[in-house]
Amino acid sequence: MIEGDSREQRVAALLRQIWLGLSAYRLYPGATDRPGFVAASERVETAAERALFDGIVDVEVHGEALWLEARPLPGEDAIRRLALACFERRVERILLRDVPSPAELAHLFDVLSLAPTELQEPGAAEDRLQATGVRSIELLRIGPAPVTGADHVPEGLGEPTETEIPTGDVLASELMVEDLGGGAEQQAETILGRLRSLSEELNVEPARGIELHSAFHEAIGRFPDDVRRSLVQLLVDRVADDPLAQRLISAMSNAELTRALVDLGRGGRKDPVDLARRLAAAGVRHLDIVDLTSALEAGREEAGTIVAGLEQLGIDLSGPRVSGSVTDVLAEYLGATRTEDARAMNRALGDTEEEQASLLAFADYLTLESDLERIGEVLDGWADAVGGSLRRGARARLGVLVDAARRPLSNAGDDRSALFEASARHVLDEDVLLELAPPPSEGQPSPLPGLLAPFGDLGVEVLLDLLADEEDRDRRALLLAVLRQAAAGHVGPVAARLDDPRWYVVRNAVTLLGAAGGPGVLERLATVARHGAPEVRREAARSLVLAGGPAAAPYLVDLAIHGGDEIGRLALVALAALTGAESASAIADVARSSPSKPLRQEALDVLAGRVDGAALLEDLAAGSTKPKLPWALRRHAKRLLRERHKEST
């Protein structure tokens, strides 16, 4: 016995993994070596082992629902979409006998990726899958007897049924005869009542509901235009309260329902997009029905009189199409495979249980997709997941989420890279960042630099933008403290701010470069030490010492000798802050070579105050250096030596 989850939960987990695997496979059909498919296969294997613990898994397809042991499984999105994919391909049972291999899963996904028009014959999906040699999984239509070893026998399955479902043309002729007085609306009311009575009278098994609803749909399609539209209008209006309306709407494919809604708009009855929103709000259809309806409506208007009616659109989801034509655009959108799969993966980003597989497929999708609008839509969902992890401080999860989008987009061209940057900047909201950057408590560093690390240079750029625009002094100090940590290893965006026309932005960048350190920043700091703003010059001299230590000495000497009086004095002060023989020698160089006599005298004063400066001061006083000090400076050096000697005795 497996502890923890119930059998229902284990089967639901398996079906969820199968749907995610199908989503990953559809992006690169046949590419079983893709990371997304490999990870999905492994997760299906794990879930299948758990689900098969109590025996064969046998589930029934009921429209957008899957049933186990005569009860519907939880109506989560992945299960609904898997059910609909099977329903549209005339699959009425999914049977799992053994753990499927990756090759068997690929064959299964191939069948479920076929256009529904290729699998309209009863048992077509079953035959296709069996022909590939797959034995662990079966896609069945309901037969006259139970499956050997199945975990249950659906109600009435073991006995031959006497119920015969009339064909669509027979139903249409029977429903339209006599007693259909009044206008189209009244006739539609009468027909809906007769459909309800007929459904109760036939009393077909739940598993055969697909046959009954298909016959009903075929009959509805044969009604006169005004009656057909009135009937569809009734179904939409009553879908929230009428079980029959729910079943008929649920049994329609996306393409069928979208065409029916736009057909109502053509009749001048309702706005088809509004109707789609009502269906989504009622929970009968997914939100993407709104997108599909909008696309078809826009295509109809664009095509003008070329598209005389919905049935004359000529959209064949399985056949060849002329690239770039209106029908091509609509067909691709109505097929919606990539959009649907990408949305499924986006939804899984919020579920840590599914995240490993879905992130690999998510990255595959971003690599494959060329439509920037669709990428933007997917990144909206990604941004929600990233924002949630950022607020919770989930650093590890944040890293894999950001990496999944950054790798395929950031180096994939200007447009795709710009999309990633825009989405990432949207996530890094000012209020969120300030909330995550409290003053360090008890000497502990802020967690924000670690959370921003996955964003690379972009995280530092966002903080720099906030710092540049922030007017509150305390917040500026807070952001600067965070940037001192975050800028380490990301000096590129900081150094770029040295060219900013705002002096205070340049000063902040100089401060951060000094804190970041490293020989790579010394030349830039030495250059900016000649900046027009005195605040920048002072900070640059100080930051040279912080960034380079003794390695900054040559740059400071150059500034002291060639930078003019003010910069020279700042450089000398910075040199005085250094320790070691190199800095003492550098101060002596200033005393020998500076064109400013006051600065040379000040350099001698600095040497006199250093323990390691005595020998250098004696050489300078004796005139043994090249160039030799002028007589007045040598005399000053001798006086400093005498005072030093007195103090020591």
Side-chain angles (χ1 to χ4, degrees):
M1 177 67 182
I2 294 181
E3 297 182 359
D5 295 342
S6 66
R7 175 165 172 75
E8 178 183 280
Q9 291 172 318
R10 295 197 298 273
V11 171
L14 168 63
L15 297 171
R16 186 186 314 127
Q17 295 301 332
I18 290 175
W19 168 253
L20 287 172
L22 175 60
S23 298
Y25 184 81
R26 281 174 168 174
L27 299 176
Y28 289 89
T32 55
D33 57 342
R34 295 294 306 183
F37 176 78
V38 172
S41 299
E42 292 173 352
R43 295 183 71 86
V44 170
E45 178 182 352
T46 300
E49 289 174 349
R50 291 177 56 82
L52 289 166
F53 183 83
D54 296 322
I56 288 176
V57 175
D58 183 10
V59 296
E60 299 171 10
V61 179
H62 293 259
E64 289 193 9
L66 294 175
W67 288 40
L68 175 70
E69 298 175 348
R71 292 197 307 269
L73 288 167
E76 61 182 84
D77 187 74
I79 290 179
R80 287 174 180 167
R81 290 183 177 271
L82 178 61
L84 185 59
C86 293
F87 183 87
E88 290 180 339
R89 289 159 182 80
R90 310 288 292 182
V91 175
E92 295 172 343
R93 291 173 72 192
I94 305 172
L95 188 73
L96 186 77
R97 296 181 179 278
D98 201 354
V99 176
S101 67
E104 289 180 314
L105 282 176
H107 289 311
L108 171 68
F109 296 156
D110 277 330
V111 172
L112 293 180
S113 298
L114 291 173
T117 52
E118 295 186 42
L119 300 171
Q120 288 303 300
E121 292 297 322
E126 177 182 0
D127 295 340
R128 290 280 190 119
L129 188 60
Q130 285 185 347
T132 64
V134 173
R135 295 294 177 262
S136 62
I137 304 177
E138 296 182 54
L139 302 176
L140 305 173
R141 61 188 178 97
I142 296 297
V147 176
T148 303
D151 59 355
H152 77 289
V153 179
E155 183 179 351
L157 183 61
E159 303 171 359
T161 178
E162 300 296 331
T163 303
E164 180 179 352
I165 298 175
T167 62
D169 55 348
V170 171
L171 276 174
S173 62
E174 291 180 352
L175 292 168
M176 288 295 293
V177 299
E178 61 189 39
D179 299 332
L180 282 180
E185 290 80 4
Q186 186 176 347
Q187 293 181 35
E189 285 277 12
T190 303
I191 291 174
L192 183 57
R194 291 180 176 179
L195 286 173
R196 183 174 290 104
S197 298
L198 183 58
S199 178
E200 294 171 356
E201 177 185 336
L202 292 174
N203 192 29
V204 299
E205 304 88 342
R208 295 189 64 213
I210 187 172
E211 298 178 38
L212 180 63
H213 297 146
S214 296
F216 282 178
H217 282 304
E218 184 180 350
I220 292 171
R222 295 175 181 270
F223 295 157
D225 290 348
D226 56 346
V227 176
R228 183 186 70 250
R229 289 170 181 152
S230 294
L231 184 54
V232 173
Q233 180 71 63
L234 278 178
L235 295 177
V236 174
D237 289 342
R238 300 179 183 179
V239 71
D241 306 311
D242 187 337
L244 179 61
Q246 291 177 8
R247 290 195 296 271
L248 289 175
I249 291 292
S250 296
M252 299 173 75
S253 68
N254 274 346
E256 290 170 339
L257 182 55
T258 304
R259 292 190 179 96
L261 295 178
V262 178
D263 187 30
L264 286 177
R266 179 178 296 102
R269 296 173 177 272
K270 298 282 185 178
D271 180 349
V273 179
D274 284 343
L275 294 174
R277 290 194 183 100
R278 286 170 54 186
L279 291 173
V284 181
R285 218 52 172 198
H286 300 291
L287 189 58
D288 54 11
I289 193 66
V290 179
D291 296 341
L292 302 181
T293 304
S294 300
L296 184 56
E297 176 70 3
R300 180 184 65 80
E301 293 170 356
E302 179 185 339
T305 57
I306 297 175
V307 183
L310 291 173
E311 297 304 319
Q312 284 73 45
L313 275 172
I315 295 179
D316 179 3
L317 298 182
S318 61
R321 297 179 292 275
V322 180
S323 177
S325 68
V326 173
T327 53
D328 176 58
V329 174
L330 296 182
E332 290 295 339
Y333 209 144
L334 286 173
T337 299
R338 288 183 183 173
T339 301
E340 180 177 302
D341 293 340
R343 287 180 180 176
M345 288 180 285
N346 252 348
R347 281 183 287 270
L349 294 180
D351 187 340
T352 54
E353 180 185 351
E354 317 300 345
E355 196 163 279
Q356 181 180 2
S358 62
L359 277 175
L360 292 170
F362 174 80
D364 282 350
Y365 175 83
L366 293 180
T367 301
L368 171 72
E369 182 58 75
S370 59
D371 188 316
L372 295 180
E373 184 174 349
R374 288 183 177 176
I375 292 176
E377 177 186 331
V378 170
L379 287 177
D380 285 344
W382 170 84
D384 290 340
V386 172
S389 295
L390 186 64
R391 287 180 175 85
R392 293 192 301 273
R395 182 174 176 179
R397 181 170 184 264
L398 187 65
V400 294
L401 281 170
V402 173
D403 191 55
R406 187 174 57 159
R407 281 187 295 105
L409 293 180
S410 60
N411 297 317
D414 292 342
D415 291 340
R416 295 163 69 88
S417 179
L419 271 178
F420 169 75
E421 180 173 337
S423 295
R425 285 182 176 274
H426 177 71
V427 171
L428 300 175
D429 178 77
E430 177 180 1
D431 292 337
V432 174
L433 295 182
L434 289 173
E435 179 184 337
L436 292 169
S441 59
E442 299 180 1
Q444 295 299 317
S446 167
L448 186 54
L451 293 172
L452 291 178
F455 294 92
D457 286 353
L458 182 59
V460 174
E461 287 179 8
V462 170
L463 288 178
L464 288 169
D465 289 341
L466 293 180
L467 178 62
D469 297 334
E470 183 56 63
E471 297 180 358
D472 184 86
R473 181 176 181 178
D474 291 337
R475 286 189 172 185
R476 287 201 304 271
L478 184 63
L479 289 169
L480 201 57
V482 172
L483 274 163
R484 283 192 176 95
Q485 300 176 54
H490 299 285
V491 297
V494 178
R497 303 293 167 123
L498 297 177
D499 298 322
D500 196 284
R502 296 166 292 183
W503 68 265
Y504 55 89
V505 173
V506 179
R507 183 194 59 191
N508 291 337
V510 168
T511 300
L512 293 171
L513 288 176
V521 305
L522 296 179
E523 187 171 346
R524 294 298 306 271
L525 288 174
T527 300
V528 81
R530 294 179 169 85
H531 194 275
E535 296 89 348
V536 174
R537 295 195 296 269
R538 286 194 294 269
E539 189 65 27
R542 188 178 72 86
S543 293
L544 271 167
V545 174
L546 293 176
Y555 296 94
L556 291 170
V557 170
D558 182 70
L559 288 172
I561 295 173
H562 303 107
D565 290 345
E566 182 194 12
I567 295 176
R569 186 167 293 106
L570 291 172
L572 180 59
V573 170
L575 280 170
L578 292 173
T579 59
E582 290 182 359
S583 63
S585 296
I587 295 170
D589 288 341
V590 175
R592 284 194 301 270
S593 304
S594 173
S596 170
K597 181 179 178 181
L599 188 63
R600 298 174 82 174
Q601 184 170 314
E602 188 174 342
L604 293 173
D605 293 341
V606 172
L607 279 177
R610 295 174 63 113
V611 175
D612 56 0
L616 291 169
L617 190 60
E618 288 177 358
D619 290 342
L620 291 169
S624 59
T625 62
K626 293 182 180 181
K628 181 189 296 186
L629 285 184
W631 176 82
L633 289 176
R634 292 201 306 273
R635 187 174 64 179
H636 180 69
K638 291 176 181 178
R639 185 168 60 250
L640 291 172
L641 286 170
R642 287 195 299 271
E643 292 176 356
R644 181 185 177 109
H645 178 71
K646 288 180 182 179
E647 292 175 359
S648 64
T649 58

